[in-house]
Amino acid sequence: MAFKVIKPGLLALLQDLGRHGHQSIGLTTGGPMDEIAFRWGNALLDNDSNSAQIEITFGMLTLEAQAATSIAITGADLDATLNDKSLTPWQTYAIKKGDVLAFHQPVWGLRAYLAVKGGFLCEPTLGSVATVVREKIGGLTGKGDKLQKGDVLAYQTCHEHQQRSVPRLAIPHYGNKEIPVILGYQYQSFSALDRANFFSSDYVVSSHSDRMGYRLEGKAIHSELNGIISEGIAYGAIQIPKDGQPIVLLQDRQTIGGYPKIGCVTRVGGGILAQQKPGDRIQFTPITVDQAERERHLQMARLAQWR
């Protein structure tokens, strides 16, 4: 009643919606880099929205099913195959004992999500199975380990399968390079020229990007603030360090930081950003809090209607 890991791939992690309420002791939330894709995976299978899934970065993961179940694949197209037959993401598939499920390399996007009927069964650590490698917490062992060859990912056997797919209009467009940004309260500390440069320039995703934050390379901008007292870091905060190259802080971000912040990427925008590979180009676009809330409400309404 499990998937056995045959090949672990570059980075495959057990995730739920995150470990909340512990930032005061320095623990970050973790959770899926593309929350919308994660939520759709559970919705397709009528799972609880917090049911554990596998987040697969780049691919190269191979699993063998030990029992029948239903799965859903969402997020990036990592050229997935079932017994060497191609699979299309954003829909469900029936799995039989002995089936081999493999994720190869990205066709588009970077991170795919594998959900199983009822969710993967794993003992939570501080209320969550979210894997944070840097903090050595969560995951299959509770110690923040990524999946390894020979790991066994338990699930409940299921012989009933319902073929379902996500409506086309609800699937994020990962080719959209415009990342929405809510202006931050330190925005005024950047000159008019630097603000214009920030929103009119292309930025390239650095090879040093990870689940903690996306480092970007492009037109340098600078704040008039020489430094600030360290403060709590919100999801999506765009820090501007001394070299002027933006860093977008994401799921595994540190809990406090002392660099000026020009704004904050929205949850939807953060999900799109997390699907960009090193070398991809993006551009920031300003939006209001009202616009961000409407965007979020639309996404959640589509999920609620589905259920």
Side-chain angles (χ1 to χ4, degrees):
M1 282 118 46
F3 275 118
K4 182 177 181 180
V5 178
I6 307 302
K7 294 180 181 178
L10 293 182
L11 182 66
L13 304 172
L14 275 174
Q15 296 290 349
D16 55 19
L17 287 173
R19 185 173 292 102
H20 300 281
H22 302 284
Q23 288 173 284
S24 62
I25 59 171
L27 289 178
T28 193
T29 58
M33 289 283 277
D34 185 349
E35 182 190 327
I36 295 300
F38 179 93
R39 286 183 179 276
W40 272 111
N42 279 329
L44 283 169
L45 296 169
D46 286 326
N47 288 348
D48 182 89
S49 60
N50 197 42
S51 294
Q53 300 180 29
I54 303 174
E55 179 182 86
I56 306 150
T57 300
F58 197 83
M60 315 302 289
L61 172 72
T62 302
L63 306 170
E64 183 180 65
Q66 309 293 301
T69 189
S70 288
I71 64 166
I73 298 173
T74 58
D77 183 349
L78 300 186
D79 191 23
T81 58
L82 181 60
N83 302 324
D84 295 323
K85 294 182 180 179
S86 294
L87 302 180
T88 301
W90 299 91
Q91 57 185 280
T92 62
Y93 294 93
I95 297 293
K96 305 185 301 296
K97 182 179 180 180
D99 281 351
V100 175
L101 176 63
F103 295 82
H104 301 284
Q105 294 186 18
V107 176
W108 45 262
L110 182 63
R111 292 178 168 86
Y113 293 86
L114 173 63
V116 67
K117 182 67 175 178
F120 287 101
L121 305 178
C122 178
E123 190 67 28
T125 305
L126 293 179
S128 171
V129 306
T131 309
V132 182
V133 176
R134 177 173 56 87
E135 294 181 349
K136 298 182 179 179
I137 192 170
L140 201 59
T141 63
K143 299 178 181 179
D145 297 318
K146 63 182 183 179
L147 295 187
Q148 305 288 338
K149 182 178 179 179
D151 280 348
V152 176
L153 299 154
Y155 55 77
Q156 296 175 346
T157 302
C158 175
H159 295 279
E160 297 180 359
H161 174 72
Q162 185 178 3
Q163 181 62 40
R164 305 174 84 183
S165 59
V166 176
R168 185 179 298 274
L169 287 176
I171 298 175
H173 179 36
Y174 296 144
N176 179 12
K177 304 302 182 180
E178 290 191 356
I179 307 299
V181 172
I182 301 169
L183 305 183
Y185 75 95
Q186 292 158 353
Y187 177 74
Q188 298 297 333
S189 72
F190 295 85
S191 69
L193 178 60
D194 277 335
R195 293 179 219 161
N197 285 335
F198 179 75
F199 286 114
S200 63
S201 303
D202 285 351
Y203 285 95
V204 177
V205 176
S206 165
S207 59
H208 298 293
S209 300
D210 54 24
R211 283 182 48 86
M212 185 175 179
Y214 259 48
R215 293 179 177 270
L216 304 170
E217 298 169 349
K219 190 77 172 180
I221 63 170
H222 299 280
S223 168
E224 295 171 357
L225 299 173
N226 293 323
I228 61 173
I229 297 172
S230 291
E231 59 187 5
I233 299 292
Y235 170 86
I238 306 170
Q239 284 195 154
I240 310 297
K242 291 182 179 180
D243 66 2
Q245 301 298 319
I247 305 171
V248 183
L249 298 170
L250 298 170
Q251 295 292 0
D252 290 0
R253 66 197 179 279
Q254 71 272 29
T255 56
I256 60 172
Y259 290 121
K261 293 168 283 295
I262 194 168
C264 192
V265 166
T266 66
R267 284 278 175 182
V268 174
I272 298 292
L273 180 61
Q275 294 291 359
Q276 309 304 311
K277 302 181 292 295
D280 285 348
R281 292 180 176 272
I282 61 103
Q283 191 172 64
F284 294 109
T285 183
I287 64 170
T288 66
V289 172
D290 285 346
Q291 287 173 317
E293 288 180 344
R294 285 198 296 271
E295 182 182 47
R296 176 70 171 177
H297 290 160
L298 177 61
Q299 294 282 359
M300 299 307 290
R302 284 172 173 164
L303 281 158
Q305 289 172 358
W306 182 264
R307 289 181 178 274

